[in-house]
Amino acid sequence: MVELSWLEKQIVAALQVDPRASWRTIAAVLREPERTVARRGGDLLASGVVAVRGIQLKPKPVLVEMRCAPGTSRMAVQALSQRTDTSFVYTITGSSDCVAEILTDRARLHTALSDELPAIVGLQRVNTYPILRYFKTLRAWQPGILTAEQRRALRPVPLNDPKIFGEHPSLTETDRQIVAALCEDGRMSFEAIARRAGTSEATARRRTDWLLETNCLNLRALVEPSSLGLPVEALLWIKTAPDRLESLGRRLAQLMEARYVAAITGEYQILADVTVASNEALYDFTSSSDWTVDVAELSTSLLLDARKRGGRLNPVLS
């Protein structure tokens, strides 16, 4: 993927801070002409290089790591990607072929893990890692392009990631229509959302705010890290002492290299998704950074392909 220009990277970073920010606001923060920002930003969205999408959160997130028979991993990845409850699906190096995050309800979890996943063609082994809490999710990832002052101007109140997705309140039919609209296009106007949900614009705005505040819905600007100059992506499977788990997770979450950090059950205690500029940078990050002091054991899987990110299917590479 071609790396973006500096202005395009800044626009993407602004959308990561506030996915619904107007071009006027972004232009003012970047101190660039509004017409230029609107044109470049519109082109990025139209081309699919960046997409603003909502994702409906569920109270029972779980990671699944799969090993497939030779020649069947692509089919398994495709099957996982087509599921509406997967938020990301990655092909990786190592002893497993792919890893995915499934967001589901308690009533559906057993069926998904016991009946549906084992039916995937070519599956030889599946490990499941229920997520205990999040230290960082994709919506909080900032790759160090904007200054702290610019980020504060775009979002005056800091956005805290949920520790874990709690039991969500029941949604009305209007709420479900709004969620569906924003999962399709996170920058859809309130006027268009209101038409789709069959309600007033004021109600659409109020219910959207409620959905976001209660973590029933997240809005995320989705972009391939390689287009931001970060072509090396890896999953870090980390073992640590129980009394070090919280502090280690928090420290990792503060690092701009980390896109996603979660505490999980099972053999490992933390899974982190990191992106860097080169293999050398990954080596330095995993061998000489301060956070490694609390690491008892580290296993690294390079990401070969992101078939799905933030609930969005990426094109299949030939």
Side-chain angles (χ1 to χ4, degrees):
M1 180 172 288
V2 177
E3 187 173 337
L4 301 177
S5 70
W6 177 244
L7 176 57
E8 289 170 333
K9 290 179 182 180
Q10 287 181 301
I11 293 171
V12 171
L15 291 173
Q16 288 176 310
V17 176
D18 183 357
R20 290 183 64 83
S22 68
W23 299 129
R24 175 174 295 181
T25 297
I26 294 174
V29 169
L30 300 182
R31 298 184 179 180
E32 296 284 349
E34 182 182 347
R35 180 176 298 180
T36 300
V37 170
R39 176 171 55 81
R40 295 283 189 90
D43 288 345
L44 289 170
L45 291 170
S47 66
V49 171
V50 62
V52 175
R53 299 288 179 85
I55 186 165
Q56 187 174 5
L57 307 182
K58 298 288 185 178
K60 291 296 176 182
V62 62
L63 293 169
V64 294
E65 182 190 21
M66 299 173 60
R67 178 70 177 177
C68 303
T72 65
S73 61
R74 181 170 293 189
M75 290 185 291
V77 165
Q78 184 66 12
L80 281 170
S81 301
Q82 293 297 329
R83 293 179 61 95
T84 58
D85 57 4
T86 50
S87 59
F88 64 73
V89 181
Y90 300 155
T91 303
I92 59 173
T93 63
S95 60
S96 297
D97 294 301
C98 62
V99 63
E101 182 185 61
I102 295 178
L103 304 179
T104 188
D105 300 308
R106 179 178 286 109
R108 284 276 308 141
L109 184 59
H110 183 268
T111 299
L113 298 182
S114 300
D115 300 330
E116 296 169 357
L117 294 186
I120 293 176
V121 174
L123 179 65
Q124 290 185 330
R125 188 193 75 235
V126 58
N127 294 327
T128 60
Y129 304 95
I131 296 171
L132 298 178
R133 66 155 292 178
Y134 290 98
F135 296 102
K136 187 177 189 178
T137 62
L138 185 56
R139 70 172 181 171
W141 177 51
Q142 279 290 305
I145 294 171
L146 300 182
T147 66
E149 182 182 357
Q150 287 173 320
R151 293 195 300 271
R152 284 193 297 269
L154 286 162
R155 180 179 286 141
V157 179
L159 174 67
N160 294 318
D161 269 320
K163 289 185 177 180
I164 192 65
F165 305 149
E167 296 293 343
H168 295 140
S170 299
L171 302 186
T172 66
E173 180 58 31
T174 296
D175 293 332
R176 286 190 284 271
Q177 291 293 333
I178 293 172
V179 168
L182 290 171
C183 286
E184 181 182 311
D185 177 8
R187 288 178 64 82
M188 186 180 293
S189 70
F190 287 116
E191 181 183 1
I193 293 172
R195 286 200 303 270
R196 179 156 174 170
T199 189
S200 68
E201 188 172 338
T203 297
R205 185 184 299 272
R206 177 171 52 81
R207 297 308 293 173
T208 295
D209 289 342
W210 179 82
L211 289 165
L212 296 173
E213 289 168 1
T214 57
N215 278 319
C216 291
L217 179 73
N218 270 181
L219 291 180
R220 302 170 177 183
L222 307 174
V223 63
E224 286 301 304
S226 59
S227 67
L228 301 178
L230 302 168
V232 178
E233 185 170 358
L235 298 182
L236 308 182
W237 303 84
I238 300 168
K239 291 183 180 181
T240 188
D243 62 343
R244 301 289 185 178
L245 175 58
E246 179 73 14
S247 62
L248 178 56
R250 287 180 178 273
R251 269 186 289 160
L252 277 168
Q254 293 301 314
L255 301 176
M256 67 180 183
E257 292 90 347
R259 304 174 69 251
Y260 173 101
V261 184
I264 58 178
T265 66
E267 183 181 359
Y268 298 94
Q269 286 73 58
I270 292 177
L271 175 68
D273 180 350
V274 301
T275 53
V276 292
S278 64
N279 287 338
E280 291 79 10
L282 179 61
Y283 177 80
D284 290 340
F285 182 78
T286 56
S287 64
S288 58
S289 300
D290 292 342
W291 66 269
T292 59
V293 174
D294 289 332
V295 174
E297 186 177 322
L298 173 65
S299 179
T300 303
S301 302
L302 290 178
L303 192 147
L304 300 176
D305 177 53
R307 183 68 184 93
K308 192 175 190 180
R309 287 194 194 273
R312 179 200 185 201
L313 283 170
N314 286 333
V316 176
L317 300 178
S318 56

